[in-house]
Amino acid sequence: MMPPLTQADIDKEMAEIRAARAGRQADHPDRDYAPYRSTALRHPKQPLVALKDPEATELTGPVFGVTDVTALDADLTRQHLGEPLGERITVQGRVLDRDGRPVRGQLVEIWQANASGRYPHQRDDHPAPLDPNFTGVGRCLTDDEGRYTFTTIKPGAYPWRNHVNAWRPAHIHFSVFGTAFTQRLVTQMYFPNDPLFPYDPILNSVTDERARQRLVSAYDHELSRPEWSLGYRWDIVLDGPAATWMEEGR
């Protein structure tokens, strides 16, 4: 039986990969990034199957209309009878194309853990409390300036079973849908100065330091609301050299 992986084992693997790629700008993190163990189980191992009629997926796939998204969907603190526990935050940014132009009417979805680092999911069974007043899911449409805004609770760090004493930094998952469901992109937003950054193989699978920093939001005092919430700003760039890194390619 193999001994359990320790943080030292993961740190060594991450350092070796960084050293091997020093000075190189990768197009995207490896789908089977070894320090993130479950990537070996999550990426396709067989050749992709070409669809005879690609447009057929648009006719049978999920759809939404503007009336399906309400103002309440963007405020995760008002979706239940009571107020959730934790630090209330406002997260705002713009969805931009590679030339800095706003992407209007874009469906942006988020999901996250609660302030204790717990998801309301049956597979999340670590001993942190659930919050009956926080589901952790929201969505909105970008405005004419490509801007999205969410009011939510700052998520807590949480343990995961990648290796012994593995903890994920606080983060919010973002989904951007493009003009069709099949164009969906998924990424994560982190918070500045998190001490867990050096230990996290998911974040460090982005081996380009500049690209990794683009996943970290910035505290914005002007966005903070008096007596209400702290503000964080984070833009999503869909393509080009300044693109936001996505979990499933760009």
Side-chain angles (χ1 to χ4, degrees):
M1 183 176 179
M2 295 290 291
L5 285 169
T6 66
Q7 185 67 54
D9 296 325
I10 297 299
D11 291 345
K12 180 180 178 182
E13 290 181 0
M14 292 192 297
E16 290 173 348
I17 292 173
R18 282 197 299 269
R21 297 181 179 178
R24 289 165 42 191
Q25 183 175 354
D27 292 331
H28 196 270
D30 289 345
R31 295 187 184 278
D32 57 351
Y33 182 73
Y36 180 10
R37 284 300 189 262
S38 61
T39 56
L41 305 175
R42 294 184 176 185
H43 66 84
K45 294 181 174 61
Q46 301 296 326
L48 298 179
V49 177
L51 297 174
K52 295 181 179 179
D53 183 7
E55 293 184 358
T57 61
E58 300 302 329
L59 298 176
T60 58
V63 296
F64 77 98
V66 293
T67 57
D68 295 327
V69 182
T70 70
L72 188 62
D73 293 335
D75 190 340
L76 285 68
T77 69
R78 297 174 53 221
Q79 296 174 351
H80 299 275
L81 293 177
E83 292 192 10
L85 298 173
E87 178 185 319
R88 190 184 290 110
I89 61 174
T90 298
V91 180
Q92 186 180 97
R94 301 175 72 201
V95 179
L96 305 167
D97 68 13
R98 65 182 298 144
D99 297 315
R101 295 173 299 199
V103 181
R104 304 175 179 89
Q106 177 62 217
L107 177 64
V108 179
E109 292 188 333
I110 64 171
W111 63 99
Q112 62 170 94
N114 65 20
S116 299
R118 182 86 182 268
Y119 288 95
H121 191 282
Q122 61 183 0
R123 294 187 63 183
D124 188 347
D125 57 1
H126 90 275
L130 289 169
D131 187 338
N133 294 312
F134 189 76
T135 307
V137 176
R139 60 183 181 173
C140 71
L141 296 174
T142 56
D143 64 16
D144 288 342
E145 297 299 320
R147 186 181 298 109
Y148 70 84
T149 304
F150 290 102
T151 301
T152 184
I153 296 296
K154 187 175 182 181
Y158 59 80
W160 61 309
R161 299 181 177 94
N162 188 71
H163 54 278
V164 175
N165 204 22
W167 289 83
R168 296 262 20 243
H171 60 279
I172 298 177
H173 298 267
F174 273 74
S175 166
V176 183
F177 272 90
T179 58
F181 185 81
T182 52
Q183 297 176 352
R184 185 187 189 205
L185 298 174
V186 177
T187 187
Q188 298 181 24
M189 185 204 85
Y190 297 85
F191 293 86
N193 304 314
D194 194 312
L196 291 173
F197 284 166
Y199 307 103
D200 182 39
I202 295 182
L203 177 60
N204 285 280
S205 68
V206 181
T207 55
D208 186 320
E209 172 65 21
R210 293 167 300 177
R212 201 159 55 243
Q213 289 303 315
R214 292 198 292 271
L215 295 174
V216 182
S217 62
Y219 172 72
D220 188 335
H221 198 65
E222 294 301 315
L223 185 58
S224 297
R225 299 179 181 178
E227 313 295 329
W228 185 251
S229 67
L230 295 178
Y232 292 88
R233 190 170 300 280
W234 188 62
D235 290 343
I236 300 172
V237 182
L238 299 179
D239 198 7
T244 304
W245 294 83
M246 304 292 173
E247 295 178 7
E248 297 296 337
R250 289 185 284 172

